[in-house]
């Protein structure tokens, strides 16, 4: 059985968001959506989702920038982020890691693959949440 | 003072005469001076050890003077002096027989002295030889310096008549005597053959009858020189045969004298050079064509790789004058190494670049042709070098285009895939059996489309060298083993037995495991498409001598501390018992966008025609080789080899 999670999906392709929303909704999760980086940042801060699915290529602020913002902010740094990347190149993977992303999936992805990665990350979070102190850190300077 | 120690200096500038006077002040040599070429020519009769002449002078210049001197006395050495030193004029000077080339102002008086000393000593040697010859002929010497006595020379003991006759009959050149009016008084048989006249028709005829109309004046001029100056240079003429054919000859004219030393006519010695002439013509024509070839730079090099000639296009491409290119090493000029050149001499083209003096570089394609010397070891070669800047640009544009298009296609594809997944998973509500069938069709074709786009992206990445290539020591056998295990499930569904014959403990190879994984997966997928009942995967060590024309080279400075210590390879083979591929089409298999229709099998799956092309690129990137063996009805064998590389300690 799955626990109901609050999942934020940020992507400038509304159809993409809709597909993912339908699927996750079907799996019993609560899905929030944002269609560009700014909106994504705002909703993430407001709603504190359990996990964020973040597209890389977006107008205004791209996914890497959003990721870096959230990971640099003590308030949101513990929220796991999965990057949705269209390129499967080594440079993209390592750049994702650089800005603090927790995992990535390459488009086009299998929905089941996505849900697996979501579950894995949230399971880990429960483990780390059991160890208080890990969650605590001094606010870092913004990068 | 001996005349040979006197040097004639020809220059219109007084200061040069003074400088040279100072240089030779305390030497064995004395200088005499002329300020024009004409003055020098008048003085030359006196006899000199050597002549030093300026090139640029009012009136007759130094090159013309050089030519005249060489006509009058071929043994007299001439040294040119000039204020501007260019390779071209130096080459020109040596072509006309100058001994050396000095640049003014003279930076090093020793060089000037050395040069003059050498010229005089050559002239002295020549005079000595003339003296010795005279001594021998006149019987003044009979002891030989190396021991023994001079043998009696048959000619000199016999009568003059006998000698002349013997010479006339055996000489391979035409021999013609003319009287003072230019009428032929005697001809040998050789000349009759050359001009194709009956012997008796030659005698009594004016020699001019045999000379081509256009060359008559030239001939008369030479005879004029002979009469005035006592000797004349060899001239090249065209004779006209009785059948109106032109014959190129070299003609030497000398005075004939009687016993009282009176003029007694002229003797002509005529060598037929038409054969050489036609070869020379062809060579000249060829050389001109080579030099004018616009699109390809052509470089000719000797057995040491030293460039000995090149055409105008080469000089333009390299941005260097011919004089600078000559003598350079072909390999360093074209940035290729010797092994590469040797390996490619047979057929393939070599890609490289050339650097220009403005520090730009041009991508080039090189074809090499070599001529082996008779002893078989050394060879001379010809390199054709073509500028492929435009080609590269087009290629890059094509790759970028494919890359960006593929990327654009991926976004809508992902969305469609998501929608299909949702339908399939029943997220949009339960589907009827018919609907499920339709979704399956959508799903299958979606997978195919994605595969095509992925392959196109891979190809464009590989071709634009953006492919990630991170080689490390890989146990290729266990890598292959894992992939085989993964495909067992699909194989079972298709009732195909996959047999793995992978011995343990094979040496490691230098490879990027992700890329090799891609190759093996591709080969296995192909095999699964076509196999009837069985696939065999084999691993073995092979050596370059096993044939298959395996050639690998150490990547130049590529992999840091890793060094190839072995000439062996690990060979992986994927063998199926499918319908096979027509033998004649195997060569095409690894080309882009080629799909060989194999009869039977392969239903429901269509490839992109890129899979094997990608495999080939990947394997070649590893300095390995991939190839196939097959024929209709005989299954297919695909092999690839990776060089065994060990880490250097």
């Amino acid at each position: 059985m799955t626990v109901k999670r609050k999942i934020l999906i940020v992507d400038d392709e509304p159809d993409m968001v809709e597909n993912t929303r339908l699927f996750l909704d079907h799996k019993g999760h609560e899905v929030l959506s944002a269609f560009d980086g700014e909106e994504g940042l705002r909703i993430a801060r407001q709603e504190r989702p359990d996990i964020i699915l973040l597209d890389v290529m977006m107008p205004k602020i791209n996914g890497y920038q959003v990721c870096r913002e959230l990971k640099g902010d003590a308030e949101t740094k513990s929220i796991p982020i999965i990057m949705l990347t269209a390129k499967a190149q080594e440079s993209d993977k390592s750049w994702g890691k650089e800005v603090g992303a927790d995992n990535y999936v390459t488009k086009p992805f299998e929905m089941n693959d996505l849900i697996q990665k979501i579950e894995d990350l949230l399971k880990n979070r429960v483990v780390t949440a059991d160890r208080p102190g890990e969650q605590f850190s001094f606010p870092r300077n913004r990068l | 003072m001996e005349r040979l120690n006197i040097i004639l200096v020809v220059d219109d500038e007084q200061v040069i005469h003074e400088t040279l006077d100072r240089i030779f002040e305390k030497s064995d040599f004395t200088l005499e001076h002329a300020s024009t070429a004409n003055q020098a020519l008048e003085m030359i009769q006196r006899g000199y050890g050597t002549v030093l002449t300026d090139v640029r002078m009012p009136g007759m210049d130094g090159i013309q003077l050089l030519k005249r001197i060489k006509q009058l006395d071929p043994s007299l050495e001439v040294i040119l002096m000039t204020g501007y030193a260019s390779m071209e004029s130096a080459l020109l000077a040596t072509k006309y027989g100058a001994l050396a080339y000095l640049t003014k102002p003279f930076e090093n008086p020793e060089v000037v002295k050395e040069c003059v000393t050498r010229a005089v000593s050559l002239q002295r040697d020549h005079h000595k030889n003339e003296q010795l010859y005279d001594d021998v002929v006149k019987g003044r010497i009979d002891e030989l310096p190396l021991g023994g006595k001079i043998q009696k020379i048959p000619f000199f003991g016999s009568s003059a008549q006998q000698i002349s006759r013997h010479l006339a009959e055996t000489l391979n050149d035409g021999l013609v005597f003319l009287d003072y009016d230019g009428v032929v008084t005697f001809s040998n048989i050789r000349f009759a053959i050359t001009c194709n006249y009956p012997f008796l028709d030659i005698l009594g005829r004016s020699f001019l009858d045999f000379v081509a109309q256009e060359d008559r004046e030239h001939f008369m001029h030479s005879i004029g020189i002979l009469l005035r100056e006592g000797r004349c240079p060899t001239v090249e003429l065209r004779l006209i045969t009785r059948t109106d054919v032109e014959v190129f000859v070299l003609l030497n004219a000398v005075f004939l004298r009687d016993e009282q030393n009176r003029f007694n006519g002229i003797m002509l010695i005529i060598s037929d050079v038409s054969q050489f002439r036609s070869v020379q013509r062809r060579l000249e024509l060829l050389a001109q064509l080579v030099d004018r070839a616009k699109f390809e730079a052509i470089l000719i090099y000797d057995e040491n790789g030293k460039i000995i000639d090149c055409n105008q296009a080469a000089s333009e491409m390299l941005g260097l004058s011919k004089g600078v290119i000559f003598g350079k090493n072909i390999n360093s000029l074209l940035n290729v190494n010797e092994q590469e050149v040797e390996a490619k001499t047979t057929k393939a083209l070599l890609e490289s670049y050339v650097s220009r003096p403005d520090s730009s570089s041009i991508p080039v394609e090189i074809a090499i042709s070599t001529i082996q010397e008779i002893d078989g070891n050394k060879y001379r070669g010809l390199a054709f070098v073509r500028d492929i800047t435009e080609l590269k640009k087009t290629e890059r544009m094509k790759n970028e285009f494919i890359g960006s298009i593929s990327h654009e296609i991926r976004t809508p594809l992902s969305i469609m895939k998501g929608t299909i997944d949702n339908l399939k998973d029943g997220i949009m509500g339960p589907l009827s059996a018919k609907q499920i069938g339709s979704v399956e069709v959508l799903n299958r074709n979606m997978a195919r489309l994605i595969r095509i786009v992925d392959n196109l992206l891979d190809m464009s990445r590989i071709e634009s060298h953006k492919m990630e290539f991170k080689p490390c020591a890989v146990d290729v056998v266990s890598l292959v083993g894992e992939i085989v295990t993964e495909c067992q499930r699909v194989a079972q569904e298709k009732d195909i037995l996959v047999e793995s014959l992978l011995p343990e403990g094979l040496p490691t190879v230098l490879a990027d495991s992700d890329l090799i994984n891609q190759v093996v997966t591709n080969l296995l997928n192909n095999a699964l498409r076509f196999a009837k009942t069985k696939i065999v995967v084999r691993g073995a060590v092979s050596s370059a001598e096993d044939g298959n024309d395996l050639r690998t080279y150490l990547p130049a400075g590529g992999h840091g501390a890793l060094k190839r210590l072995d000439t062996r390879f690990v060979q992986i083979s994927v063998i199926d018992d499918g319908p096979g591929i027509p033998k004649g089409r195997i060569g095409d298999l690894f080309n882009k966008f080629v799909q060989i229709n194999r009869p039977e099998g392969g239903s429901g799956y269509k490839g992109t025609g890129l899979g094997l092309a990608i495999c080939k690129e990947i394997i070649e990137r590893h300095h390995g080789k991939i190839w196939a063996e097959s024929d209709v009805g005989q299954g297919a064998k695909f092999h690839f080899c990776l060089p065994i590389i060990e880490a250097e300690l």
Side-chain angles (χ1 to χ4, degrees):
Chain A
M1 67 129 232
T2 43
V3 190
K4 180 171 177 166
R5 310 282 193 186
K6 196 197 274 185
I7 301 173
L8 169 61
I9 169 158
V10 191
D11 198 320
D12 60 328
E13 293 280 347
D15 289 347
M16 187 78 204
V17 174
E18 181 60 10
N19 271 338
T20 318
R21 194 191 62 75
L22 278 168
F23 178 77
L24 294 173
D25 187 62
H26 180 76
K27 294 281 173 193
H29 300 296
E30 181 189 348
V31 182
L32 307 169
S33 30
F35 300 97
D36 62 52
E38 274 174 12
E39 193 183 4
L41 271 176
R42 188 168 48 77
I43 297 176
R45 285 179 176 137
Q46 235 165 41
E47 300 283 338
R48 298 292 166 84
D50 292 313
I51 191 163
I52 300 170
L53 311 180
L54 190 54
D55 183 33
V56 175
M57 304 258 274
M58 287 185 294
K60 292 190 230 177
I61 312 178
N62 73 30
Y64 292 137
Q65 287 168 299
V66 173
C67 184
R68 190 186 282 161
E69 282 278 306
L70 293 174
K71 290 294 181 182
D73 187 339
E75 300 281 304
T76 52
K77 65 170 287 198
S78 59
I79 304 173
I81 294 176
I82 297 178
M83 302 301 297
L84 309 179
T85 163
K87 297 181 263 182
Q89 269 190 288
E90 205 61 44
S91 53
D92 290 297
K93 297 179 201 171
S94 60
W95 188 238
K97 232 176 244 167
E98 186 74 18
V99 295
D102 297 85
N103 210 337
Y104 69 93
V105 288
T106 312
K107 289 180 184 178
F109 50 81
E110 295 281 341
M111 287 297 181
N112 288 318
D113 187 32
L114 178 67
I115 200 80
Q116 190 58 51
K117 282 182 173 154
I118 292 173
E119 294 296 338
D120 286 351
L121 279 173
L122 291 177
K123 209 161 51 196
N124 283 347
R125 199 173 106 124
V126 175
V127 175
T128 48
D130 286 343
R131 288 186 281 164
E134 285 256 6
Q135 288 223 338
F136 254 89
S137 63
F138 292 104
R140 280 195 298 179
N141 284 334
R142 295 266 169 92
L143 289 169
Chain B
M1 161 151 250
E2 197 195 346
R3 287 297 309 174
L4 281 177
N5 281 342
I6 305 173
I7 300 151
L8 179 59
V9 177
V10 192
D11 202 313
D12 56 326
E13 285 174 78
Q14 190 51 35
V15 62
I16 294 298
H17 291 283
E18 285 163 13
T19 310
L20 285 167
D21 271 336
R22 266 199 307 282
I23 291 174
F24 288 99
E25 206 171 15
K26 283 175 191 154
S27 73
D28 300 336
F29 301 113
T30 329
L31 306 189
E32 286 184 11
H33 305 281
S35 56
T36 66
N38 279 320
Q39 192 191 346
L41 280 174
E42 277 166 30
M43 293 166 73
I44 216 91
Q45 315 285 353
R46 300 181 201 166
Y48 289 96
T50 185
V51 180
L52 271 161
T53 176
D54 186 22
V55 175
R56 276 186 155 175
M57 288 183 293
M60 190 193 290
D61 70 13
I63 300 282
Q64 277 171 291
L65 176 62
L66 164 69
K67 285 199 234 173
R68 290 296 301 276
I69 291 174
K70 284 290 164 184
Q71 281 175 358
L72 293 170
D73 182 0
S75 69
L76 179 57
E77 298 294 351
V78 177
I79 299 163
L80 295 180
M81 308 179 287
T82 183
Y84 57 99
S86 81
M87 199 69 182
E88 270 84 5
S89 36
L91 285 171
L92 197 66
T94 36
K95 188 176 161 195
Y96 292 117
L99 176 74
Y101 202 79
L102 292 172
T103 48
K104 295 187 287 187
F106 309 115
E107 278 171 17
N108 186 351
E110 286 311 310
V111 173
V112 182
K113 275 189 192 167
E114 209 180 286
C115 211
V116 166
T117 311
R118 191 156 67 93
V120 172
S121 99
L122 282 170
Q123 174 78 331
R124 199 184 299 278
D125 287 348
H126 180 74
H127 276 238
K128 209 166 165 187
N129 268 339
E130 277 184 345
Q131 186 61 49
L132 285 170
Y133 175 81
D134 206 45
D135 287 348
V136 169
V137 170
K138 302 212 168 120
R140 285 196 289 259
I141 298 183
D142 56 359
E143 298 276 335
L144 285 171
L146 294 173
K149 286 193 180 281
I150 287 177
Q151 298 294 309
K152 184 172 170 255
I153 301 162
F155 274 175
F156 299 134
S158 48
S159 74
Q161 259 188 336
Q162 263 180 307
I163 297 170
S164 310
R165 210 183 124 182
H166 186 80
L167 265 178
E169 284 166 9
T170 54
L171 201 64
N172 209 17
D173 292 327
L175 197 64
V176 176
F177 292 6
L178 307 180
D179 67 11
Y180 203 68
D181 298 321
V183 171
V184 178
T185 53
F186 171 79
S187 151
N188 66 353
I189 298 298
R190 172 55 59 185
F191 180 69
I193 293 170
T194 303
C195 63
N196 201 9
Y197 271 85
F199 183 66
L200 286 179
D201 285 7
I202 296 171
L203 304 182
R205 197 183 278 266
S206 163
F207 186 76
L208 279 181
D209 288 356
F210 305 106
V211 179
Q213 192 75 40
E214 306 89 310
D215 288 344
R216 285 184 187 169
E217 202 179 316
H218 184 38
F219 172 71
M220 290 310 291
H221 176 74
S222 307
I223 298 299
I225 295 177
L226 175 71
L227 297 177
R228 273 196 316 276
E229 297 176 17
R231 55 182 160 185
C232 91
T234 305
V235 288
E236 194 175 357
L237 289 177
R238 277 164 292 177
L239 297 187
I240 294 289
T241 68
R242 194 167 54 113
T243 46
D244 251 358
V245 177
E246 279 189 357
V247 181
F248 282 93
V249 296
L250 287 180
L251 185 143
N252 277 291
V254 289
F255 273 132
L256 286 175
R257 294 176 193 278
D258 63 10
E259 284 84 3
Q260 280 79 43
N261 208 21
R262 285 174 310 207
F263 174 73
N264 196 19
I266 296 165
M267 180 169 75
L268 304 176
I269 299 158
I270 298 160
S271 325
D272 181 349
V273 290
S274 17
Q275 274 188 332
F276 305 109
R277 226 356 237 246
S278 71
V279 172
Q280 195 191 347
R281 274 272 167 93
R282 268 175 55 204
L283 286 177
E284 275 171 7
L285 194 69
L286 197 66
Q288 265 183 30
L289 286 172
V290 164
D291 197 48
R292 287 182 190 169
K294 287 227 160 36
F295 302 108
E296 265 176 308
I298 300 171
L299 297 152
I300 302 169
Y301 55 93
D302 69 9
E303 66 271 21
N304 299 315
K306 210 174 79 180
I307 293 166
I308 50 175
D309 207 349
C310 72
N311 65 353
Q312 194 53 35
S315 161
E316 279 164 24
M317 178 185 287
L318 293 160
L320 299 170
S321 76
K322 285 189 184 182
V324 177
I325 294 171
F326 291 171
K328 280 195 188 283
N329 182 279
I330 183 89
N331 293 340
S332 61
L333 198 66
L334 299 179
N335 298 298
V336 290
N337 65 46
E338 215 163 305
Q339 292 160 305
E340 281 181 301
V341 174
E342 246 170 66
K344 301 274 178 166
T345 44
T346 42
K347 44 192 174 190
L349 294 167
L350 204 63
E351 265 191 35
S352 185
Y353 64 95
V354 295
S355 312
R356 293 168 52 90
D358 60 8
S359 77
S360 64
S361 78
I362 301 174
V364 293
E365 201 169 60
I366 305 162
I368 306 267
S369 302
T370 55
I371 308 166
Q372 209 135 48
E373 297 275 315
I374 300 156
D375 66 12
N377 291 324
K378 292 171 173 179
Y379 58 85
R380 289 147 194 273
L382 201 59
F384 299 87
V385 186
R386 179 176 292 168
D387 182 342
I388 52 168
T389 312
E390 283 304 310
L391 199 74
K392 283 273 162 196
K393 214 160 88 188
T394 321
E395 210 173 279
R396 199 170 56 238
M397 274 166 60
K398 184 204 76 186
N399 283 329
E400 279 168 8
F401 176 74
I402 292 178
S404 70
I405 279 291
S406 310
H407 201 86
E408 288 305 310
I409 294 172
R410 283 174 81 94
T411 306
L413 272 184
S414 340
I415 294 167
M416 286 158 76
K417 181 171 167 43
T419 314
I420 293 169
D421 280 354
N422 283 346
L423 280 171
K424 202 174 60 167
D425 293 349
I427 287 163
M428 324 300 292
L431 301 181
S432 70
K434 274 186 181 171
Q435 285 167 336
I436 288 174
S438 296
V439 170
E440 271 309 312
V441 171
L442 282 176
N443 199 34
R444 203 163 48 235
N445 285 284
M446 178 57 58
R448 183 173 150 201
L449 206 51
I450 290 171
R451 202 165 52 234
I452 292 171
V453 173
D454 281 352
N455 278 346
L456 279 173
L457 258 178
D458 274 348
M459 204 66 215
S460 82
R461 252 180 230 158
I462 287 168
E463 290 194 339
S464 57
H465 299 284
K466 281 181 188 157
M467 175 174 64
E468 306 271 342
F469 182 60
K470 288 183 181 162
C472 53
V474 169
D475 177 1
V476 71
V477 165
S478 68
L479 176 73
V480 174
E482 282 168 27
I483 303 165
V484 171
T485 314
E486 276 173 32
C487 82
Q488 288 289 5
R489 190 182 53 83
V490 185
Q492 272 161 23
E493 279 173 17
K494 294 188 158 194
D495 252 350
I496 293 169
L497 176 71
V498 182
E499 190 181 356
S500 168
L501 297 174
L502 296 163
E504 273 177 38
L506 289 188
T508 52
V509 296
L510 183 75
D512 182 311
S513 50
D514 282 349
L515 293 176
I516 295 304
N517 190 323
Q518 202 176 334
V519 172
V520 177
T521 309
N522 198 305
L523 294 182
L524 266 171
N525 281 340
N526 280 348
L528 281 169
R529 275 165 62 195
F530 296 107
K532 280 194 211 114
T533 57
K534 192 176 172 187
I535 295 171
V536 179
V537 180
R538 237 181 241 286
V541 169
S542 68
S543 64
E545 288 76 38
D546 287 355
N548 293 323
D549 185 36
L550 284 169
R551 281 187 193 275
T552 54
Y553 311 105
L554 256 188
H559 302 305
L562 289 156
K563 186 180 165 195
R564 177 125 201 251
L565 297 173
D566 214 320
T567 54
R568 296 174 308 156
F569 299 80
V570 168
Q571 180 177 329
I572 301 292
S573 308
V574 178
I575 302 155
D576 69 59
D577 62 350
I581 303 146
K583 208 168 191 170
R585 304 225 44 200
I586 289 178
D588 292 336
L589 270 176
F590 297 96
N591 291 341
K592 265 179 272 177
F593 304 112
V594 168
Q595 284 193 67
I596 313 284
N597 287 323
R598 299 197 218 179
E600 309 158 40
S603 63
Y605 181 99
K606 284 272 166 39
T608 56
L610 279 173
L612 286 173
I614 292 171
C615 290
K616 182 170 179 256
E617 292 287 342
I618 291 175
I619 295 297
E620 285 182 354
R621 195 71 189 269
H622 284 80
H623 303 276
K625 185 186 160 77
I626 185 164
W627 73 101
E629 292 174 71
S630 184
D631 207 345
V632 176
Q634 295 182 6
K637 294 178 185 173
F638 284 86
H639 316 274
F640 68 86
C641 276
L642 294 172
I644 294 168
I645 299 192
E646 288 170 32
E648 197 179 29
L649 294 175

